[in-house]
Amino acid sequence: MKILYLLFAVFLLLFQATSGSADPLYADTVECRSQGKFCRVGACPPTFTATGTCHGGLMNCCSK
């Protein structure tokens, strides 16, 4: 019976999801983040301006 606990733990480790970003890689998102900017839903904060789009045009790319 003790081996079942060990097997269960091994199976949990084997079938664990990979870590990393769950966001699909959109070309506009990669470009925005590579330039040091960030993506935001809706309007950018008051001291930032929208310079493009992210996530296929669904979000704004904000920069100083």
Side-chain angles (χ1 to χ4, degrees):
M1 288 304 274
K2 290 183 181 182
I3 191 80
L4 289 177
Y5 294 113
L6 180 63
L7 286 174
F8 183 67
V10 169
F11 282 126
L12 280 177
L13 291 174
L14 287 176
F15 296 114
Q16 192 174 27
T18 59
S19 62
S21 177
D23 295 335
L25 295 176
Y26 292 102
D28 56 352
T29 303
V30 172
E31 182 181 346
C32 178
R33 292 191 179 164
S34 68
Q35 295 174 356
K37 302 173 186 175
F38 63 95
C39 299
R40 182 172 173 138
V41 176
C44 295
T47 59
F48 295 86
T49 58
T51 58
T53 61
C54 295
H55 295 277
L58 298 175
M59 300 173 76
N60 289 324
C61 179
C62 301
S63 69
K64 270 274 192 205

